[in-house]
Amino acid sequence: MTRRTDWAEYTSGPAGPGDGAYGAAAAPSETDPRAVDPSVDPAEDGEVCRGDGEARHGGGRGRGGGGPRGRRRREGAGPSAEDGGVTSSSRAEKGEPPRDPVEQARAICLRLLTGTPRTRRQLADALRKREIPDEAAEEVLSRFEEVGLINDGAFAEAWVESRHHGRGLARRALAGELRTKGVDATLIDAAVSQLDTEQEEETARELVARKLRATRGLDRDKRLRRLAGMLARKGYPEGLALRVVRQALEEEGEDTEGLGDEGF
């Protein structure tokens, strides 16, 4: 029978989506400014931080390990496990029962949520990779949703805000990224609807303006392809990309008659 665990020690009360901090109940750590940018997320694959399990000391005598003091230090530095507890082999050697999988799942999720929000699917994948039983994983994930530590809707909104203003991504690219993170289609639609056509076009103009100088000296067709291609990679529709680039080139005095009529 699965032992129920006390959640109070991990949550100071229900944390709703308005709190804006999904890892607030976890142990404090420095927040990565790239928290909602998966392309630069150092723990994207869900790996849990590991301790090296061995104290380091300066000086020749500290390194020797031959005396009683060295032995005491080594004996005091127990094995470190990725879920924050003693390894299964050590427990078996000591005759201890295996650690409760619910406790393991909770520890893994709290570590992954410290400093960076994650979707439910991302956490579920991490638990599956660590061979946490489905029943224990479901219990922990559902409880985390109840207290607001997992909130895919808030995650999607924050992702859109960050990636659009930070990287200039359009709605199509943003929706694709959120799908890869397991966000529900309804939540994706609600999040990307924050951006309207006018805002997308304004961002596209800013992107072209920043890149325009670097294309000077190239022939006009090559400039068009390079600038419009940059917008296409960020998810902007072809028609919008061509229109924005042609207008930018015209403002520089380029003759754009017939330019881009066949696409790029």
Side-chain angles (χ1 to χ4, degrees), residues 6 14 17 19 54-55 67 71 93 125 130-131 143 148 158 166-167 177 188 192 195 204 250 256 258 262:
D6 185 6
D19 293 349
E54 180 177 352
R71 287 195 297 273
E93 292 171 0
D125 290 344
R130 288 162 177 74
E131 299 182 351
R143 179 57 179 163
R167 300 289 301 277
E177 289 185 339
I188 292 175
V192 298
L195 303 176
E250 287 174 358
T256 61
E262 297 178 357

Short mmCIF file of all heavy atoms in Angstrom, two decimals, residues 6 14 17 19 54-55 67 71 93 125 130-131 143 148 158 166-167 177 188 192 195 204 250 256 258 262:
data_model
loop_
_atom_site.label_atom_id
_atom_site.label_comp_id
_atom_site.label_asym_id
_atom_site.label_seq_id
_atom_site.Cartn_x
_atom_site.Cartn_y
_atom_site.Cartn_z
N ASP A 6 3.19 13.78 3.71
CA ASP A 6 2.73 15.07 4.20
C ASP A 6 3.21 16.16 3.27
O ASP A 6 4.39 16.44 3.16
CB ASP A 6 3.30 15.29 5.61
CG ASP A 6 2.77 16.57 6.22
OD1 ASP A 6 1.89 17.18 5.59
OD2 ASP A 6 3.24 16.93 7.31
N PRO A 14 -2.00 27.01 -0.74
CA PRO A 14 -2.24 26.90 -2.19
C PRO A 14 -1.58 28.02 -2.94
O PRO A 14 -1.71 29.18 -2.59
CB PRO A 14 -3.79 26.96 -2.28
CG PRO A 14 -4.28 26.55 -0.94
CD PRO A 14 -3.23 27.02 0.04
N PRO A 17 -2.17 30.35 -9.92
CA PRO A 17 -1.43 30.81 -11.09
C PRO A 17 -1.02 32.25 -11.01
O PRO A 17 -0.07 32.66 -11.63
CB PRO A 17 -2.40 30.58 -12.25
CG PRO A 17 -3.58 29.87 -11.71
CD PRO A 17 -3.49 29.83 -10.24
N ASP A 19 0.36 33.71 -8.65
CA ASP A 19 1.58 33.92 -7.89
C ASP A 19 2.76 34.19 -8.78
O ASP A 19 3.71 34.86 -8.41
CB ASP A 19 1.89 32.68 -7.01
CG ASP A 19 0.84 32.51 -5.93
OD1 ASP A 19 0.04 33.45 -5.75
OD2 ASP A 19 0.82 31.46 -5.29
N GLU A 54 31.68 13.84 -1.89
CA GLU A 54 33.01 13.70 -1.30
C GLU A 54 33.53 15.07 -0.92
O GLU A 54 33.58 15.98 -1.73
CB GLU A 54 33.96 13.06 -2.31
CG GLU A 54 35.37 12.88 -1.74
CD GLU A 54 36.26 12.19 -2.73
OE1 GLU A 54 35.75 11.74 -3.75
OE2 GLU A 54 37.47 12.12 -2.44
N ALA A 55 33.89 15.23 0.36
CA ALA A 55 34.40 16.52 0.83
C ALA A 55 35.81 16.71 0.31
O ALA A 55 36.61 15.78 0.27
CB ALA A 55 34.39 16.56 2.36
N GLY A 67 45.12 8.44 7.70
CA GLY A 67 44.95 8.53 9.14
C GLY A 67 43.51 8.42 9.56
O GLY A 67 42.59 8.38 8.75
N ARG A 71 39.84 8.84 7.48
CA ARG A 71 38.82 7.80 7.42
C ARG A 71 37.48 8.30 7.90
O ARG A 71 36.43 7.98 7.35
CB ARG A 71 39.27 6.58 8.23
CG ARG A 71 40.38 5.77 7.57
CD ARG A 71 40.52 4.40 8.23
NE ARG A 71 40.90 4.51 9.64
CZ ARG A 71 42.17 4.58 10.04
NH1 ARG A 71 43.16 4.57 9.15
NH2 ARG A 71 42.47 4.67 11.31
N GLU A 93 22.15 -2.94 1.47
CA GLU A 93 23.25 -3.41 2.30
C GLU A 93 22.94 -3.22 3.79
O GLU A 93 23.35 -4.00 4.63
CB GLU A 93 24.52 -2.66 1.93
CG GLU A 93 25.06 -3.02 0.55
CD GLU A 93 26.18 -2.10 0.12
OE1 GLU A 93 26.52 -1.20 0.92
OE2 GLU A 93 26.70 -2.26 -1.00
N ASP A 125 7.75 13.06 -17.96
CA ASP A 125 8.83 12.41 -18.72
C ASP A 125 10.05 12.18 -17.82
O ASP A 125 10.71 11.14 -17.92
CB ASP A 125 9.22 13.26 -19.92
CG ASP A 125 8.15 13.28 -21.00
OD1 ASP A 125 7.26 12.41 -20.95
OD2 ASP A 125 8.21 14.15 -21.89
N ARG A 130 13.27 8.08 -14.69
CA ARG A 130 13.84 7.57 -13.45
C ARG A 130 13.09 6.35 -12.93
O ARG A 130 13.27 5.95 -11.79
CB ARG A 130 13.85 8.68 -12.40
CG ARG A 130 14.90 9.74 -12.71
CD ARG A 130 14.62 11.02 -11.95
NE ARG A 130 15.66 12.00 -12.20
CZ ARG A 130 15.79 12.69 -13.33
NH1 ARG A 130 14.94 12.49 -14.33
NH2 ARG A 130 16.76 13.56 -13.49
N GLU A 131 12.21 5.82 -13.76
CA GLU A 131 11.50 4.58 -13.47
C GLU A 131 10.62 4.70 -12.23
O GLU A 131 10.48 3.74 -11.46
CB GLU A 131 12.48 3.41 -13.34
CG GLU A 131 13.29 3.16 -14.61
CD GLU A 131 14.24 1.98 -14.49
OE1 GLU A 131 14.40 1.45 -13.38
OE2 GLU A 131 14.79 1.59 -15.52
N ARG A 143 -1.19 16.38 -7.37
CA ARG A 143 -1.12 17.21 -6.18
C ARG A 143 -0.40 18.53 -6.47
O ARG A 143 -0.81 19.60 -6.01
CB ARG A 143 -0.39 16.46 -5.05
CG ARG A 143 -0.24 17.24 -3.77
CD ARG A 143 -1.57 17.72 -3.23
NE ARG A 143 -1.42 18.44 -1.99
CZ ARG A 143 -2.34 19.22 -1.46
NH1 ARG A 143 -3.50 19.38 -2.09
NH2 ARG A 143 -2.13 19.85 -0.32
N GLY A 148 -0.77 24.55 -7.41
CA GLY A 148 -0.28 25.57 -8.31
C GLY A 148 1.19 25.50 -8.66
O GLY A 148 1.71 26.39 -9.33
N ALA A 158 3.60 32.78 -20.09
CA ALA A 158 4.94 33.32 -19.81
C ALA A 158 5.90 33.00 -20.94
O ALA A 158 6.77 33.82 -21.29
CB ALA A 158 5.46 32.76 -18.49
N GLY A 166 11.82 38.48 -26.41
CA GLY A 166 13.25 38.20 -26.33
C GLY A 166 13.87 37.71 -27.62
O GLY A 166 15.00 38.07 -27.95
N ARG A 167 13.12 36.91 -28.39
CA ARG A 167 13.66 36.32 -29.62
C ARG A 167 12.90 36.75 -30.87
O ARG A 167 13.29 36.42 -31.98
CB ARG A 167 13.62 34.79 -29.52
CG ARG A 167 14.43 34.20 -28.38
CD ARG A 167 15.92 34.32 -28.64
NE ARG A 167 16.30 33.64 -29.86
CZ ARG A 167 16.55 32.33 -29.96
NH1 ARG A 167 16.46 31.57 -28.88
NH2 ARG A 167 16.89 31.79 -31.11
N GLU A 177 6.69 25.39 -30.42
CA GLU A 177 7.53 25.13 -29.25
C GLU A 177 6.70 24.61 -28.08
O GLU A 177 7.12 23.69 -27.37
CB GLU A 177 8.28 26.39 -28.86
CG GLU A 177 9.37 26.79 -29.83
CD GLU A 177 10.18 27.98 -29.35
OE1 GLU A 177 9.69 28.74 -28.50
OE2 GLU A 177 11.31 28.16 -29.85
N ILE A 188 -2.52 26.46 -25.62
CA ILE A 188 -1.63 27.10 -26.60
C ILE A 188 -2.37 28.21 -27.34
O ILE A 188 -1.86 29.33 -27.49
CB ILE A 188 -1.08 26.06 -27.59
CG1 ILE A 188 -0.13 25.09 -26.88
CG2 ILE A 188 -0.35 26.76 -28.74
CD1 ILE A 188 0.36 23.96 -27.76
N VAL A 192 -1.10 32.13 -27.35
CA VAL A 192 -0.62 32.85 -28.54
C VAL A 192 -1.59 33.94 -28.97
O VAL A 192 -1.23 34.85 -29.73
CB VAL A 192 -0.33 31.89 -29.71
CG1 VAL A 192 0.75 30.90 -29.34
CG2 VAL A 192 -1.60 31.18 -30.15
N LEU A 195 -0.87 37.73 -28.83
CA LEU A 195 -0.25 38.47 -29.92
C LEU A 195 -1.26 38.66 -31.05
O LEU A 195 -1.82 37.69 -31.55
CB LEU A 195 0.96 37.71 -30.46
CG LEU A 195 2.06 37.37 -29.46
CD1 LEU A 195 3.13 36.53 -30.13
CD2 LEU A 195 2.66 38.62 -28.87
N ALA A 204 8.18 42.20 -36.53
CA ALA A 204 8.88 41.84 -37.76
C ALA A 204 9.66 43.04 -38.31
O ALA A 204 10.80 42.90 -38.79
CB ALA A 204 7.89 41.32 -38.80
N GLU A 250 12.57 49.70 -49.81
CA GLU A 250 12.10 50.91 -50.47
C GLU A 250 12.52 52.16 -49.69
O GLU A 250 12.89 53.19 -50.29
CB GLU A 250 10.58 50.87 -50.62
CG GLU A 250 10.09 49.90 -51.68
CD GLU A 250 8.58 49.78 -51.68
OE1 GLU A 250 7.92 50.43 -50.83
OE2 GLU A 250 8.04 49.04 -52.53
N THR A 256 11.96 48.11 -55.83
CA THR A 256 11.43 46.79 -55.47
C THR A 256 10.35 46.33 -56.42
O THR A 256 9.62 45.39 -56.11
CB THR A 256 10.86 46.85 -54.04
OG1 THR A 256 9.79 47.81 -53.99
CG2 THR A 256 11.93 47.20 -53.03
N GLY A 258 8.46 44.23 -58.77
CA GLY A 258 8.58 42.82 -59.15
C GLY A 258 9.40 42.00 -58.18
O GLY A 258 9.57 40.80 -58.37
N GLU A 262 7.61 36.06 -56.79
CA GLU A 262 7.58 34.61 -56.91
C GLU A 262 7.93 33.93 -55.58
O GLU A 262 8.22 32.74 -55.54
CB GLU A 262 8.58 34.15 -57.98
CG GLU A 262 8.23 34.68 -59.36
CD GLU A 262 9.24 34.25 -60.40
OE1 GLU A 262 10.24 33.59 -60.01
OE2 GLU A 262 9.06 34.55 -61.59
#
